[in-house]
Amino acid sequence: MQKRAIETRRKILESAIANFSASGLNGSTVDDIAGSAGVNKQRIYAYFGSKQKLFEAALLEVFLRVKLYSNKTLEKAESNLEQLSSTVFKSFMRVHDEQPALWRLLAWANLEGVESVKVLEQARKEENDALRRLFDRAVEQKLLIPIEFETWLFSLLGMSCFYHSNHHTLRFTLGAVIDDDKWIDQLVRDIEKMFSVSH
């Protein structure tokens, strides 16, 4: 019975992630989510209480999946502080490639307002604290320019998220084939130069 409950909850979450990332909180209905999950909508209320709580659970679930990438990235970055910026940026790009619901859910959550994102308050604290320590070490070793950690992290997050949320329009507005591997490799190299002391 417990196994079935876990599986049902998982199906609901997967359906919620797909529906909310496509249509947002207000554009998705509990009936839609229940239908694509193959469950009675009363199960949704039993497990999550409300559509709002389900949206928050879906958002948090995607962030927990991202944590797996973060841990691997931290290990890799620690072994090569000279390439901290490009290592972290490539990880963010990979996260968006493999978890396309992430930027969509974030966009919808931000449109809904602060209540929808409060659930994330501690979601990245552990990884961000560890990343801050690596950043501080790289600055102390004069590998990175001495700027605020938040500025550095915001820049890397912003570029990776903006790329994935706008790569179709940027292709036309920039006049460049930005989804080409060579272009992305150059972007990674340029990002490394932007924050590196040696460049």
Side-chain angles (χ1 to χ4, degrees), residues 40-109:
N40 183 303
K41 72 177 180 180
Q42 295 310 315
R43 289 290 92 212
I44 291 176
Y45 293 112
Y47 287 118
F48 298 97
S50 68
K51 186 169 79 163
Q52 173 69 37
K53 292 292 182 192
L54 177 58
F55 181 80
E56 292 169 8
L59 187 60
L60 190 56
E61 173 64 23
V62 172
F63 264 75
L64 291 175
R65 292 175 186 177
V66 169
K67 187 174 183 175
L68 298 173
Y69 298 98
S70 299
N71 291 336
K72 289 178 186 174
T73 299
L74 289 169
E75 288 173 22
K76 187 174 180 182
E78 191 163 18
S79 66
N80 190 1
L81 280 180
E82 287 185 358
Q83 294 184 353
L84 181 62
S85 298
S86 60
T87 300
V88 172
F89 179 73
K90 284 191 282 189
S91 173
F92 291 160
M93 291 290 278
R94 189 168 55 254
V95 163
H96 284 296
D97 285 338
E98 296 180 16
Q99 296 289 334
L102 176 62
W103 71 262
R104 293 184 179 109
L105 280 173
L106 285 172
W108 286 114

Side-chain angles (χ1 to χ4, degrees), residues 72-160:
K72 289 178 186 174
T73 299
L74 289 169
E75 288 173 22
K76 187 174 180 182
E78 191 163 18
S79 66
N80 190 1
L81 280 180
E82 287 185 358
Q83 294 184 353
L84 181 62
S85 298
S86 60
T87 300
V88 172
F89 179 73
K90 284 191 282 189
S91 173
F92 291 160
M93 291 290 278
R94 189 168 55 254
V95 163
H96 284 296
D97 285 338
E98 296 180 16
Q99 296 289 334
L102 176 62
W103 71 262
R104 293 184 179 109
L105 280 173
L106 285 172
W108 286 114
N110 278 283
L111 288 169
E112 293 298 334
V114 73
E115 288 304 313
S116 291
V117 294
K118 280 185 178 176
V119 68
L120 299 177
E121 190 172 5
Q122 296 297 314
R124 302 286 303 181
K125 185 176 182 342
E126 189 179 309
E127 300 100 299
N128 286 347
D129 287 348
L131 193 54
R132 181 189 295 271
R133 288 190 292 273
L134 292 179
F135 174 84
D136 289 343
R137 275 177 42 203
V139 170
E140 285 168 19
Q141 293 176 26
K142 297 190 176 7
L143 300 172
L144 290 179
I145 57 174
I147 59 174
E148 292 296 319
F149 169 74
E150 290 79 6
T151 302
W152 174 78
L153 187 57
F154 177 83
S155 299
L156 300 179
L157 285 167
M159 284 185 276
S160 60

Side-chain angles (χ1 to χ4, degrees), residues 162-195:
F162 190 77
Y163 172 84
H164 283 85
S165 62
N166 292 277
H167 65 275
H168 294 304
T169 52
L170 285 171
R171 182 173 188 169
F172 294 98
T173 57
L174 281 180
V177 184
I178 68 166
D179 51 358
D180 177 81
D181 287 343
K182 288 180 184 176
W183 192 91
I184 293 172
D185 289 344
Q186 185 61 53
L187 175 63
V188 170
R189 287 192 296 274
D190 289 342
I191 284 168
E192 192 66 59
K193 290 177 189 173
M194 284 169 62
F195 298 107

